[in-house]
Amino acid sequence: MPLTPPSAHSSGDSRRPGRRHDREIFRLALPAFGALVAEPLFLLADHAIVGRLGTTALGALGVAGAALTTLVNLCVFLAYGTTAAVARQAGAGDLRRGVKLGVDGLWLAAAIGLVVIAAAWPLAPMIVDLFGASPALAADAVTYLRISLFGTPAMLIVLAGTGVLRGLADTVTPLVVSIGSFTLNALLNVWFVLGLGFGIAGSAWGTVLAQILGAVVYVAVVVRGARGHGASLRPDLAGIRAAGTAGVALVIRTASMRVALIAATVAATRMGDAQIAAHAIASQVWTLLAFVLDAIAIAGQAITGRSLGAGDVPATRAATRRMVFWGIWCGVACGVAVLAARPFVPGLFDADPAVAAALLAALWPVALLQPIAGVVFVLDGVLIGAGDRRYLAWASVWTTLAYLPAVLLVVVAGGGLAALWAVLGVWMLARLVTLGSRAYGTAWLVTGA
């Protein structure tokens, strides 16, 4: 398929600007929603499958998953930075340059993936020990983490390829690839874990094979698009270096956010095996909801980058207001859905009574924080699309520093899992203040290519 974005004003209706922006937002957000929600849904399926192996295996998956997600999410700039850069070039009318930036992103992703394998493999036991897991749980976590590292280059290539397509306002192809690869992942995990009896290692291998297939598809799509627009496929060291340099601020942003989430996982681990097992499930529910809300943020990245690249500040402002509006209402809907599903969630994972009790308590704050999360994720996406990376980096550092003492207080006071999730509200409110005040100003509205 050709990598050609639609016109920035193809759906224009000057008489009803709100509806015009709504159509553009949902044209991008709905497929992005499908692609984003596919991952946590199938991760929940992984947890359900591994949960049949017992509480220790489920807790090990939670610990290893948190460590692996941290390693990969530090490189989320490959998607976010590429989306913003490609969208801005598309808005300025230079598709060849935009696609070339995407090709450089793929090369950078492959290189970083290989470095992660070499660095993290020998450190796997040390990484797991940082979570304070019990010996039996730690052994399973190291096994899962080490096998999963082989899928890191593929995961990062998928991130970069997704960024290219989103930047060109194509969120349908990532949806198709996500559904295919995650369906394969679920089927392989059932076969390897339950059919062949490979245990937690089987879950890891199934995920790795599915990730490789997804990466192959993205490479094929981007290569075809590069040839169609006359962009070189050769690695451009200057372009790769520029992409890496531009991503430093986003790495700081993501690292700060991961520190906050890891602190919660460490605190839950020290509460006991039942609490970390419940926390692992609650975290997957939170991730599922975050991806639902992040669909609008993905639209925000593409729309903001393109409109600022075209020099249209009023359109950027108007689209931001509409996305915040929809972020609030989607957050309310997510919160209501959690409350409705809450009594049935423990049964989906065959949780024992101790795990079920902790999980039911934690789902209350998970639900109540969703409207705030809806606004936070939208504004984060808008500022990423604007390329306001330096501010996002510093804001993330300060909000995490505001959150960590609250986590420490829960641990020192002997609070339970519900209290741990409740103090997540401190972090979300701090992010709301920093992102909202920035979006209200004008410093981020930089136009042109």
Side-chain angles (χ1 to χ4, degrees):
M1 68 187 65
L3 296 181
T4 304
S7 169
H9 304 289
S10 60
S11 60
D13 181 351
S14 59
R15 294 173 299 174
R16 303 299 297 273
R19 288 189 178 182
R20 171 168 62 84
H21 288 301
D22 286 349
R23 285 196 295 270
E24 180 71 357
I25 290 166
F26 285 104
R27 183 185 67 80
L28 295 171
L30 289 178
F33 163 76
L36 290 168
V37 80
E39 179 173 355
L41 281 176
F42 283 105
L43 285 175
L44 285 171
D46 288 351
H47 279 69
I49 294 167
V50 173
R52 300 302 190 269
L53 301 176
T55 299
T56 297
L58 185 59
L61 181 59
V63 170
L68 185 66
T69 300
T70 299
L71 292 173
V72 175
N73 280 2
L74 287 175
C75 301
V76 76
F77 72 90
L78 291 167
Y80 290 174
T82 302
T83 297
V86 173
R88 189 174 283 267
Q89 294 298 325
D94 192 350
L95 284 177
R96 180 177 177 275
R97 174 61 178 162
V99 174
K100 177 55 182 169
L101 290 175
V103 171
D104 290 339
L106 292 180
W107 282 109
L108 179 61
I112 293 175
L114 294 176
V115 171
V116 167
I117 293 175
W121 173 271
L123 297 176
M126 185 183 302
I127 293 171
V128 170
D129 284 344
L130 292 175
F131 291 89
S134 63
L137 192 152
D140 281 350
V142 170
T143 297
Y144 188 92
L145 179 58
R146 278 183 161 166
I147 294 172
S148 296
L149 286 172
F150 290 112
T152 303
M155 282 189 282
L156 301 188
I157 287 173
V158 167
L159 284 177
T162 301
V164 177
L165 297 180
R166 288 175 180 168
L168 295 172
D170 177 7
T171 54
V172 174
T173 301
L175 169 61
V176 174
V177 177
S178 293
I179 291 175
S181 60
F182 289 123
T183 299
L184 177 62
N185 178 34
L187 294 175
L188 289 175
N189 282 358
V190 170
W191 183 27
F192 290 167
V193 177
L194 303 181
L196 299 179
F198 290 169
I200 196 169
S203 178
W205 280 118
T207 301
V208 168
L209 293 175
Q211 288 162 345
I212 292 173
L213 178 62
V216 169
V217 174
Y218 274 111
V219 169
V221 171
V222 174
V223 166
R224 186 195 304 184
R227 288 173 175 169
H229 290 291
S232 173
L233 294 172
R234 295 180 180 178
D236 178 2
L237 294 182
I240 293 173
R241 184 167 54 251
T245 302
V248 170
L250 289 179
V251 169
I252 295 173
R253 162 197 170 271
T254 305
S256 300
M257 295 170 64
R258 291 306 305 173
V259 166
L261 297 175
I262 288 175
T265 302
V266 171
T269 302
R270 296 183 183 280
M271 293 177 185
D273 285 359
Q275 283 73 24
I276 183 55
H279 180 75
I281 298 172
S283 295
Q284 290 305 317
V285 173
W286 176 271
T287 301
L288 170 62
L289 298 171
F291 283 175
V292 171
L293 299 174
D294 219 23
I296 303 176
I298 296 303
Q301 292 176 24
I303 293 171
T304 302
R306 193 175 68 228
S307 60
L308 289 179
D312 195 344
V313 171
T316 305
R317 285 285 199 192
T320 299
R321 286 192 294 269
R322 294 302 293 178
M323 286 183 284
V324 168
F325 170 82
W326 286 113
I328 293 171
W329 283 107
C330 288
V332 170
C334 286
V336 171
V338 172
L339 294 179
R342 176 178 167 273
F344 310 103
V345 174
L348 296 176
F349 299 91
D350 198 26
D352 63 37
V355 174
L359 177 59
L360 288 173
L363 289 178
W364 278 107
V366 168
L368 296 176
L369 288 173
Q370 292 312 301
I372 297 174
V375 179
V376 167
F377 295 163
V378 165
L379 293 179
D380 191 56
V382 167
L383 295 179
I384 289 174
D388 199 18
R389 296 181 292 266
R390 182 176 297 179
Y391 179 83
L392 289 170
W394 283 110
S396 292
V397 170
W398 288 114
T399 53
T400 298
L401 290 176
Y403 168 66
L404 291 178
V407 176
L408 180 61
L409 180 61
V410 171
V411 175
V412 172
L417 196 62
L420 180 62
W421 276 93
V423 300
L424 186 70
V426 173
W427 185 42
M428 298 306 295
L429 286 171
R431 293 185 67 194
L432 180 64
V433 170
T434 55
L435 296 176
S437 61
R438 184 65 166 184
Y440 186 76
T442 60
W444 60 282
L445 294 168
V446 179
T447 59

